[in-house]
Amino acid sequence: MTQQKNTKTSGLALAALGVVYGDIGTSPLYTMKEVFNGAHHPVPISPEHILGILSVIFWSLVIVVALKYVVFVMRADNRGEGGIMALMALVLRGAADKPYANGLMLLGLFGAALFYGDSVITPAISVLSAVEGLEIATPAFKPYILPISLAVLAGLFVVQKHGTSKIGVLFGPIMVLWFATLAILGVLSISQNPQVLSALNPSYAVHYFLTDPMLGFFSLGAAVLALTGGEALYADMGHFGRKPVQLAWFGLVLPALVLNYYGQGALLLKDPEAIANPFYHLAPEWMLLPMVGLATLATIIASQAVISGTYSITQQAIQLGYSPRMEIQHTSHEEIGQIYLPGINWGLMIAVALLMVGFGSSSNLAAAYGIAVTGTMVITTILSFIVVRKIWKWSLPFSLLVAGGFLIVDLVYFAANAVKIHEGGWFPLLLGISIFLLMTTWKKGRKLLHTRLSSEAIAVVPFAKSLEKLDIATIPGTAIFMTPNAEIIPHALLHSLKHYKCLHERVIILTAETLDVPYVEQDQRIHIEKLDNRFYRIRIKFGFMDQPDLPKALELCNSQDLSLDMMDTSFFLGRETLIPKIGSDMAFWREKLFVSMFKNAGSAAAYFRLPPNRVVELGSQVVL
């Protein structure tokens, strides 16, 4: 039994290599080059600086990725799911009654918004860095690097609609080959200059900062590139579980990364001219083109992981009420998490293409990279502090020691990247702020709309009793009226009664709720309340990772003495036309923005998978 469990864990660890570690695994392509040869605050090449930077990178990987994410933060799972949205939901559950709960929610939302900035930059800088290896083979390739990179990424976004299930089985073995190649090239270089291993001693990092504090501080803006993808370990935890992700990190990824970085350092100690592209100069000349091909595959996998993560976080935002409904397509019959959002996919493709054309090279993009990554790192640490205090019940001194120590490191990295805002860091920051504005506007607008609709509402129970005294015509079948508030009569029901002067023999007031947990068990999915012989009230609960399929959920009614025939059931939906008003509870410009988002939101019928031929929509005007 134990052997079978270990085999399963090893298999999941192999799969995790292809999804979780693509981003951080491709960082050696550009990190050392940007530290010593970047366009922004390059570090002069000398043995002391090389050993100091290697020590900084190694201990950053240990402290930020290994200790913080792999050991500490991954314990803060929301019933197995990770990522900043799942962490935010977990935190709000533990601090729901606290005055700072709203501030934590906004902080978590901003961290999620910054993730979108990372999702745009990662494919651009990764693929550009891989294809730039062609320039090492022959300068004649230089004019074609950008077109080739754009073609590679365009192909990646075009195939997204087919899902990753068919090619996913290749991701793990390719990344094993990638990390093995990183390690072998690193070992070969280290063997020619083994003194580089002395940089494992943290005293080299300390000496580096003490000798020239300003240089050390500015160099962190490039050294952070070695940590990009650390957040993905936590975000993708739900796909594989904590142990496989940890096994892959300590068993292969961390050793391979360290060996390759130190191999590049050994090369620079021997030949400082190799700084033009130390990663590709590690490889012998005959291996250069195969390395470009392998690196391109690895960066495609890294980009795929970030794109898939964007789909997942958007789905969570929709379920938690921070984003309008969008079309969600399921690309696998077996894996519920494999989804495709056309709107997000094409929006990302356009943003990545514009970014690549605008910045032109991986070195220019490096200036834009970092602010979004470190901002999310800081927010994750702050939220995890609330978890250890309010949910794990750690003592205040111990919580401050652990979370506070991680926060200091995160803040130093964030500050070093903040100085690059005018050099390109403004892009992910501007994108993150824009998405944060959209999410908060949608949430506040929905709350305002709910208030307006509730102000004129009629309670369900008195309404049902009053109908008993009236001679209302009854027609056969079941009518289901959807509403976000099960305590009041939906406007669609009132409009139906007003226009048709009749009611179905069975009327169901249905509310679909999204809880702050990833999944809801089937036996807890549905709650039925019979109000009288005609009226029923049904609450259906979904987790924020569940796929909201109402017809499938309503099948559970058959086991609770309420038999529903979908061919004899009609779904009535309200479709409001919103009118912005000056002097409302929300700024007029945000009302206009909300109205625009509301008009372009996806159909509730499609989102809840209602049969199209059983849906009736009734409109009304609402003044905000």
Side-chain angles (χ1 to χ4, degrees):
M1 188 72 177
T2 303
Q3 184 177 359
Q4 186 177 8
K5 185 177 180 181
N6 291 338
T7 302
K8 183 180 179 182
T9 301
S10 300
L12 287 171
L14 175 63
L17 284 173
V19 176
V20 176
Y21 292 108
D23 191 357
I24 198 169
T26 52
S27 296
L29 278 165
Y30 42 78
T31 300
M32 291 291 282
K33 183 179 73 169
E34 293 309 317
V35 170
F36 292 104
N37 198 37
H40 313 279
H41 310 291
V43 176
I45 297 182
S46 70
E48 293 78 13
H49 288 158
I50 291 171
L51 295 177
I53 285 294
L54 289 175
S55 188
V56 168
I57 289 175
F58 172 72
W59 286 103
S60 294
L61 286 170
V62 169
I63 294 171
V64 176
V65 183
L67 294 180
K68 176 188 163 182
Y69 279 104
V70 179
V71 175
F72 173 62
V73 175
M74 284 182 65
R75 291 185 59 205
D77 64 292
N78 193 337
R79 300 193 183 182
E81 289 295 325
I84 196 161
M85 292 291 281
L87 180 62
M88 183 185 74
L90 182 66
V91 166
L92 292 178
R93 195 187 313 153
D97 56 341
K98 303 298 181 183
Y100 50 79
N102 190 58
L104 292 174
M105 179 199 72
L106 294 176
L107 195 64
L109 280 181
F110 189 61
L114 288 176
F115 181 84
Y116 285 90
D118 186 22
S119 302
V120 174
I121 297 179
T122 294
I125 192 172
S126 298
V127 174
L128 268 174
S129 298
V131 179
E132 281 170 353
L134 293 173
E135 189 180 348
I136 304 298
T138 169
F141 274 116
K142 187 172 183 178
Y144 304 105
I145 287 174
L146 184 58
I148 291 173
S149 300
L150 287 169
V152 168
L153 279 168
L156 177 63
F157 281 103
V158 167
V159 301
Q160 288 300 310
K161 62 183 178 182
H162 300 295
T164 59
S165 56
K166 294 180 180 178
I167 57 176
V169 292
L170 298 175
F171 283 6
I174 289 174
M175 291 309 293
V176 169
L177 177 61
W178 170 253
F179 284 115
T181 304
L182 292 185
I184 292 170
L185 292 177
V187 168
L188 291 175
S189 180
I190 292 170
S191 66
Q192 298 176 30
N193 206 337
Q195 76 173 78
V196 76
L197 293 175
S198 61
L200 294 171
N201 188 331
S203 64
Y204 281 87
V206 174
H207 177 73
Y208 170 69
F209 284 115
L210 291 179
T211 303
D212 193 337
M214 289 304 295
L215 178 66
F217 174 75
F218 285 121
S219 68
L220 291 179
V224 74
L225 296 172
L227 309 178
T228 58
E231 190 73 25
L233 312 184
Y234 181 46
D236 290 320
M237 178 176 62
H239 296 290
F240 307 102
R242 186 191 313 161
K243 288 189 180 298
V245 172
Q246 292 174 332
L247 176 62
W249 172 255
F250 289 110
L252 180 59
V253 178
L254 179 60
L257 290 176
V258 172
L259 287 171
N260 194 264
Y261 282 126
Y262 277 63
Q264 291 185 45
L267 174 65
L268 293 177
L269 286 174
K270 184 179 72 172
D271 179 16
E273 295 297 321
I275 192 56
N277 202 315
F279 176 82
Y280 281 115
H281 280 299
L282 274 182
E285 191 173 338
W286 63 266
M287 194 180 174
L288 190 55
L289 289 179
M291 275 300 295
V292 173
L294 180 59
T296 302
L297 283 175
T299 53
I300 288 173
I301 292 171
S303 303
Q304 175 65 62
V306 174
I307 294 167
S308 300
T310 308
Y311 296 158
S312 295
I313 205 169
T314 303
Q315 181 194 20
Q316 293 181 29
I318 293 170
Q319 288 284 70
L320 292 171
Y322 296 106
S323 170
R325 287 184 293 266
M326 300 181 190
E327 180 186 355
I328 299 177
Q329 298 177 10
H330 298 268
T331 59
S332 172
H333 296 290
E334 292 82 24
E335 298 296 330
I336 195 169
Q338 291 189 12
I339 57 175
Y340 168 66
L341 282 74
I344 295 296
N345 185 68
W346 302 124
L348 266 181
M349 187 183 79
I350 293 170
V352 171
L354 290 174
L355 194 68
M356 292 175 72
V357 172
F359 283 81
S361 70
S362 61
S363 290
N364 292 335
L365 272 170
Y369 214 5
I371 192 73
V373 175
T374 54
T376 307
M377 284 163 48
V378 169
I379 292 170
T380 297
T381 303
I382 294 172
L383 294 179
S384 64
F385 172 76
I386 304 299
V387 171
V388 301
R389 282 289 293 148
K390 300 300 179 183
I391 298 178
W392 297 354
K393 306 297 182 183
W394 285 10
S395 66
L396 181 59
F398 190 54
S399 301
L400 288 173
L401 177 65
V402 176
F406 291 137
L407 184 61
I408 290 172
V409 176
D410 292 340
L411 287 173
V412 170
Y413 266 112
F414 180 77
N417 281 275
V419 301
K420 300 192 300 181
I421 288 177
H422 69 286
E423 298 170 342
W426 57 267
F427 177 82
L429 204 57
L430 179 62
L431 183 61
I433 291 172
S434 300
I435 292 172
F436 175 76
L437 177 64
L438 291 174
M439 289 196 292
T440 52
T441 297
W442 180 256
K443 186 74 170 180
K444 188 170 183 178
R446 291 290 299 177
K447 185 177 180 180
L448 181 60
L449 175 60
H450 176 68
T451 302
R452 295 289 183 265
L453 293 174
S454 300
S455 64
E456 304 170 358
I458 303 171
V460 171
V461 176
F463 178 81
K465 289 183 177 179
S466 67
L467 289 181
E468 296 176 358
K469 304 173 185 177
L470 302 175
D471 186 20
I472 301 293
T474 300
I475 58 175
T478 301
I480 296 180
F481 293 88
M482 294 187 63
T483 176
N485 187 351
E487 301 301 322
I488 60 176
I489 293 294
H491 276 227
L493 196 158
L494 295 176
H495 284 294
S496 174
L497 185 59
K498 174 183 176 182
H499 291 289
Y500 300 134
K501 306 294 191 298
C502 62
L503 282 176
H504 288 71
E505 60 184 350
R506 194 160 51 181
V507 177
I508 295 174
I509 310 297
L510 188 148
T511 302
E513 302 176 11
T514 301
L515 307 183
D516 62 354
V517 296
Y519 302 100
V520 173
E521 298 296 332
Q522 290 295 319
D523 58 354
Q524 300 174 358
R525 174 84 65 198
I526 195 165
H527 174 74
I528 301 173
E529 180 184 0
K530 185 176 181 179
L531 302 179
D532 58 25
N533 290 330
R534 185 198 299 266
F535 279 87
Y536 291 81
R537 187 156 49 191
I538 295 180
R539 288 182 173 89
I540 298 179
K541 299 176 181 178
F542 296 105
F544 59 79
M545 292 293 288
D546 279 323
Q547 309 303 318
D549 188 332
L550 282 183
K552 185 177 180 180
L554 287 169
E555 292 176 3
L556 299 171
C557 292
N558 297 327
S559 61
Q560 299 190 33
D561 300 324
L562 179 62
S563 180
L564 294 178
D565 179 5
M566 282 296 114
M567 297 307 296
D568 196 33
T569 300
S570 298
F571 293 87
F572 288 80
L573 306 178
R575 177 171 285 274
E576 295 83 13
T577 299
L578 306 185
I579 302 173
K581 183 184 72 172
I582 297 176
S584 183
D585 295 339
M586 193 161 63
F588 186 69
W589 67 269
R590 290 190 77 182
E591 283 191 2
K592 298 277 284 184
L593 177 60
F594 173 66
V595 169
S596 176
M597 294 172 70
F598 192 85
K599 285 180 180 178
N600 292 285
S603 164
Y607 181 74
F608 288 108
R609 298 190 174 188
L610 303 181
N613 60 342
R614 310 303 307 171
V615 175
V616 179
E617 292 189 332
L618 297 170
S620 62
Q621 287 191 342
V622 180
V623 178
L624 294 173

